[in-house]
Amino acid sequence: MGIDMNGVYLVREEILPKSIRKTILAKEMIHRGEVLTVNEAVAKANLSRSAYYKYKDYVFPFFEATRDKIITLSLSIRRQSGVLRDVLGVIAAAEGNVMTVNQGLPMQGTARVDIAVETIYLKGDLQALMDGINRVAGVERLEVIAQS
């Protein structure tokens, strides 16, 4: 009948009810170290503890949702020696486990590369990994195209 997506959706924040947005705010304050306790966070967010505990395990930033998953990155890289090696080096340094690499033929000086990466042992978060890959000379485009 319908597509089974395991109940996970990407939703724009502005359409969420206030209690869920306040839960996100409280979790962010805790994560950034702005508060030390849940009590402090919910007080600053003007949220009840019961609402926080009701929603806290169901809302998280997109990149946090990629932990302990296999994500597929799509890159456009310049046709020059060492770019793919350097990208794989960034992934290895972050302790990402490369599962597959698919590289297309270069066209007009660039090639598309899809890399499936297991993130279970990843140092830092996915955004940090992507920032590191984006710093590699020769990487022209990078995006997450899938996660499982």
Side-chain angles (χ1 to χ4, degrees):
M1 180 173 226
I3 298 173
D4 180 14
M5 296 182 62
N6 296 321
V8 177
Y9 302 91
L10 189 58
V11 178
R12 292 190 58 96
E13 182 179 6
E14 59 263 17
I15 71 163
L16 294 173
K18 283 185 181 180
S19 57
I20 293 176
R21 290 195 315 257
K22 288 178 179 185
T23 300
I24 293 167
L25 175 62
K27 287 182 69 170
E28 287 174 352
M29 286 189 287
I30 293 167
H31 179 74
R32 288 190 302 256
E34 294 175 17
V35 296
L36 298 177
T37 67
V38 170
N39 284 339
E40 287 179 83
V42 296
K44 281 190 170 186
N46 193 25
L47 176 70
S48 70
R49 283 177 44 91
S50 62
Y52 174 82
Y53 283 109
K54 180 178 181 178
Y55 297 121
K56 77 173 184 68
D57 293 328
Y58 299 100
V59 295
F60 36 82
F62 173 74
F63 288 121
E64 188 178 307
T66 61
R67 295 295 297 171
D68 304 335
K69 308 277 187 204
I70 297 175
I71 52 120
T72 303
L73 303 172
S74 178
L75 299 88
S76 288
I77 61 172
R78 276 189 235 126
R79 184 181 175 196
Q80 66 188 49
S81 179
V83 177
L84 182 56
R85 176 200 62 220
D86 292 347
V87 167
L88 294 173
V90 169
I91 295 169
E95 295 191 18
N97 183 23
V98 174
M99 307 298 287
T100 62
V101 177
N102 296 306
Q103 181 174 356
L105 293 172
M107 293 184 174
Q108 300 177 343
T110 63
R112 178 178 168 161
V113 179
D114 294 332
I115 305 172
V117 179
E118 186 178 36
T119 63
I120 191 168
Y121 299 113
L122 198 63
K123 288 182 182 174
D125 61 14
L126 181 59
Q127 186 62 56
L129 175 65
M130 291 180 67
D131 291 345
I133 292 171
N134 271 320
R135 285 192 292 273
V136 172
V139 172
E140 295 184 348
R141 183 187 54 80
L142 170 63
E143 63 183 330
V144 177
I145 60 170
Q147 83 175 34
S148 61

